[in-house]
Amino acid sequence: MIPIPGIRTVDTGAPDTPADPATAELSGLLFGADRERVHGPWRELTTDPWMHRQPETSPADQLTASYRRLRRVNRAADPARLASDPYLLTALHEWTALLDGGLTVLAGIHYNLFLGSLLDHDPHDKRPLDEYLAMERIGTFLCTELGHGNDATALETTAVYDPADRTFTLHTPHAGAQKFMPNTGPAGGPKSAVVAARLLAEGRDHGIFLFLTPLTDQDGTLPGVTVRPLPLRPGSPVDHCLTSFDQVLLPHEALLTGEHGRLGDDGTFTSALGSKRKRFLTSIGRVALGKLCMSASAIGGARVALATAVRYAHHRHVSGARPDRRVPLWAHRTHHGPLLEGLATAYAMTALHRATTALWAGHEHTDPAARALAERRVALAKGWITWQARALLIECRERCGAQGLLPVNGIVSLTMDIEGTITAEGDNLALWAKTGAELLLGHDTPPAAAPEGEPADPAVRQQLLQAAEHLLLARARTRLRQAPPGDGLHRWNAAAPAALAAVTAHAEHRAATALLAMAERATDPTARAVLLDLHQLFTVRRIQAHAAALHAGRYLAADRADALADLAEQSIARLAGHAGALVDAFDIPEQVLAGRPIANPGYQEAFDDPTAHWNAVHRS
């Protein structure tokens, strides 16, 4: 660690040691059978203190360091393989989130949105990838504009084709068409971008495609390219800028092509897709995998925050019931209860993410129905996981009191970085609205009747979550039918609140299903019991939120509703003694936690003053 004035790195008191069987199995279930290939390289990077963000340095120095770390990642990776493997790519985000939020952003843009887009489109012998694979040039992604964010299909940047010299003219027509927030500043060295622009050929608009565009070299921006920095935002620094183009000439091979669209030398356009919207969505198809990357970074951040808060609660002591007794914060139900609920949610987040990543990696990309389902599940996971991560980070920050406000303890920076994650690759509310409309117009299968058995049975709780989702969709459909006809927006507005609540219930049901499947795979009896308690705590809290509707719909009797609170308390009581194992299973290297003073038993030593009078006796 770089020394921080007034703060010293302390011995964690807990060097990496072999885990007990239960903890080892919990960790194995979290990271999967292929953990050494998928997670091992990135976890190893986190053990190097040089890879850790230094929040006490200036924003400019932090940004420079993030780009240097990006090159360190590149040296440790096979870049083309990384960009092509959803498991490796999401795992990279999961681990870099522990270190440096700026690095996480830069890696996602270069490897997924830029390099991944080049790999997904037709190759071209005049468009070699060597300088991007070697990171001689860093890649970025220019899609959204100052005037167009979630309505990116209305982008106004143009690329006009001239068949006479086989060139495109890339142009920004007005202020609202400036590319908004890409990392196009001078930091990091020369950069190129894939730029989303409207393809105009032979007087026809063929829709939005991507164009490979050099932006800068060692001397600055290239002719016709203007880059202006945006105001500094909170959190980990990134060189967000406004970028515009003034009649920039690009060669024919700059257009990224595929089945969704190709342009002949003479300007003849062909496409397997008749819809401009579908052409655009195919062009930016990497955004879907980007959602999984954002979810992964949120999980990584939530895990390290929980580990920090749980450890702090165990070694921070406060006055007990008697003046001569001090007890750890963890001894208080009011303190450990919310953190245990956070752990239950974090395990559910991880289980959902693993299941969704497997679906995305395994679906048949040429099957429109399979791809549509995979994209919906990815969007669902992204919205729910990142929102849950925000709530967890806020809880962890509060449970750490004033210490949680210090950037050196690593939590408050995460609470700021998560805001960008919620907005990136599709704003969560927009994703929720789209998914809500799809669920509303789709078909759901309600439970046939009230589930038989008691809520202590995991299968009963799963049925109750499904019933809650069904009731919310039924309410949304009723409101849609009751709304006056003729005004589509008015009808959607009437149905939207219930529809969006149904999306949340749908996400919770899927997360609970994935968590239960994880528990059922456990062979160690302690690990299995702990996971079943996490599932019970997670599901009971969600069912309680829907108890009135479930009771009215005759899915949940009044006496069973009353029993839910007891089930939650029973799980909390049993889990309280396993919190250490639950966070140890996150497998966060002690080198990471050593830089967060409150994560260690000697945290007060980190703030000690060696020259103070109370240390005089030790100096004499």
Side-chain angles (χ1 to χ4, degrees):
M1 287 290 296
I2 295 175
I4 302 171
I7 301 175
R8 295 184 290 125
T9 302
V10 297
D11 185 355
T12 64
D16 286 324
T17 55
D20 64 87
T23 304
E25 178 152 37
L26 289 170
S27 192
L29 290 167
L30 284 172
F31 295 105
D34 204 14
R35 68 185 297 173
E36 286 306 313
R37 182 188 75 85
V38 173
H39 295 274
W42 317 130
R43 184 189 184 277
E44 181 63 26
L45 280 179
T46 70
T47 65
D48 183 353
W50 185 83
M51 291 294 293
H52 303 181
R53 177 181 172 228
Q54 306 300 327
E56 75 285 355
T57 61
S58 71
D61 287 345
Q62 290 181 57
L63 179 60
T64 298
S66 293
Y67 275 106
R68 288 174 178 166
R69 293 181 191 116
L70 179 64
R71 287 188 163 87
R72 171 68 181 279
V73 169
N74 204 61
R75 291 195 297 271
D78 175 339
R81 181 185 175 203
L82 172 59
S84 303
D85 187 328
Y87 295 104
L88 280 173
L89 195 57
T90 54
L92 171 66
H93 287 72
E94 198 170 310
W95 289 97
T96 56
L98 278 62
L99 309 177
D100 177 357
L103 168 63
T104 307
V105 171
L106 301 177
I109 293 170
H110 178 81
Y111 290 113
N112 180 51
L113 296 176
F114 176 78
L115 188 55
S117 293
L118 292 176
L119 291 168
D120 287 353
H121 286 78
D122 291 336
H124 199 291
D125 56 5
K126 292 185 178 180
R127 201 172 59 222
L129 303 180
D130 299 16
E131 58 184 346
Y132 311 121
L133 296 173
M135 213 167 269
E136 295 167 2
R137 298 186 69 83
I138 287 176
T140 184
F141 185 78
L142 278 60
C143 185
T144 54
E145 298 175 352
L146 185 60
H148 302 288
N150 289 313
D151 66 333
T153 52
L155 295 178
E156 296 180 79
T157 299
T158 57
V160 181
Y161 183 65
D162 182 356
D165 57 6
R166 300 178 65 252
T167 61
F168 297 97
T169 300
L170 186 67
H171 189 64
T172 303
H174 56 78
Q178 296 175 93
K179 294 300 181 181
F180 182 67
M181 286 197 78
N183 59 313
T184 52
K191 293 177 183 174
S192 292
V194 286
V195 180
R198 196 166 293 280
L199 170 59
L200 304 176
E202 297 184 321
R204 295 185 61 187
D205 178 354
H206 296 293
I208 298 166
F209 289 81
L210 297 180
F211 295 81
L212 179 61
T213 308
L215 301 176
T216 59
D217 59 18
Q218 294 290 359
D219 297 321
T221 54
L222 297 174
V225 180
T226 299
V227 174
R228 295 185 299 132
L230 284 164
L232 189 67
R233 63 165 178 80
S236 304
V238 176
D239 52 330
H240 294 300
C241 298
L242 286 165
T243 307
S244 58
F245 306 96
D246 184 8
Q247 308 291 333
V248 174
L249 288 181
L250 298 174
H252 184 270
E253 62 269 16
L255 172 65
L256 302 192
T257 59
E259 291 298 316
H260 61 297
R262 296 186 175 94
L263 192 71
D265 289 352
D266 62 354
T268 301
F269 178 79
T270 58
S271 175
L273 302 175
S275 164
K276 292 180 185 177
R277 176 179 174 80
K278 289 183 178 179
R279 293 172 195 164
F280 169 63
L281 293 177
T282 302
S283 294
I284 64 164
R286 275 285 167 154
V287 170
L289 181 52
K291 292 180 176 68
L292 277 176
C293 293
M294 294 301 99
S295 306
S297 67
I299 290 169
R303 283 205 205 110
V304 74
L306 281 164
T308 302
V310 168
R311 288 165 64 124
Y312 183 51
H314 278 83
H315 55 243
R316 169 76 171 185
H317 285 69
V318 295
S319 298
R322 298 185 323 208
D324 61 340
R325 185 184 180 196
R326 292 178 67 78
V327 297
L329 279 173
W330 190 258
H332 290 271
R333 162 64 179 81
T334 51
H335 195 93
H336 68 243
L339 290 175
L340 287 169
E341 292 186 33
L343 283 167
T345 302
Y347 271 73
M349 290 160 58
T350 304
L352 177 63
H353 190 270
R354 299 294 186 250
T356 308
T357 303
L359 174 67
W360 180 258
H363 84 275
E364 179 52 62
H365 289 250
T366 59
D367 181 348
R371 185 174 180 90
L373 174 63
E375 287 181 345
R376 182 191 301 170
R377 296 279 174 82
V378 165
L380 185 80
K382 188 263 182 178
W384 186 77
I385 288 171
T386 55
W387 268 330
Q388 295 304 305
R390 175 205 268 163
L392 287 180
L393 290 168
I394 292 172
E395 187 67 53
C396 291
R397 206 294 304 158
E398 288 189 19
R399 298 288 64 75
C400 293
Q403 288 278 7
L405 295 171
L406 300 181
V408 70
N409 286 317
I411 297 176
V412 71
S413 298
L414 292 168
T415 65
M416 293 183 284
D417 289 342
I418 193 65
E419 298 302 327
T421 306
I422 286 169
T423 299
E425 319 296 31
D427 183 84
N428 280 4
L429 186 60
L431 298 179
W432 239 229
K434 181 177 183 294
T435 304
E438 291 170 351
L439 292 178
L440 192 63
L441 299 175
H443 175 71
D444 69 301
T445 304
E452 296 181 1
E454 298 299 323
D457 183 347
V460 170
R461 296 195 303 273
Q462 288 293 130
Q463 289 177 278
L464 289 172
L465 289 176
Q466 183 186 4
E469 176 188 345
H470 166 69
L471 291 170
L472 287 164
L473 280 175
R475 184 186 305 169
R477 288 170 179 144
T478 297
R479 291 179 177 175
L480 187 68
R481 288 193 301 269
Q482 291 175 344
D487 185 340
L489 178 59
H490 181 77
R491 297 184 71 213
W492 165 248
N493 286 341
L500 267 61
V503 177
T504 301
H506 183 56
E508 292 169 347
H509 182 214
R510 291 197 57 77
T513 301
L515 180 57
L516 182 58
M518 181 184 286
E520 290 173 343
R521 291 196 300 274
T523 57
D524 180 88
T526 301
R528 183 181 179 88
V530 166
L531 288 169
L532 288 173
D533 265 321
L534 290 175
H535 179 268
Q536 179 163 291
L537 183 55
F538 177 81
T539 53
V540 163
R541 289 301 189 221
R542 273 68 188 176
I543 294 166
Q544 284 179 310
H546 302 294
L550 290 168
H551 178 61
R554 299 185 178 181
Y555 288 102
L556 184 65
D559 60 335
R560 291 182 176 179
D562 292 339
L564 291 171
D566 292 336
L567 289 177
E569 290 303 319
Q570 290 164 14
S571 287
I572 288 172
R574 288 191 293 264
L575 288 168
H578 295 285
L582 287 168
V583 298
D584 286 348
F586 294 159
D587 203 23
I588 300 170
E590 290 299 325
Q591 293 91 331
V592 174
L593 296 168
R596 293 162 167 77
I598 62 171
N600 306 292
Y603 72 96
Q604 293 186 23
E605 299 171 15
F607 297 91
D608 195 4
D609 179 1
T611 66
H613 61 274
W614 55 81
N615 286 316
V617 65
H618 301 295
R619 296 195 300 269
S620 59

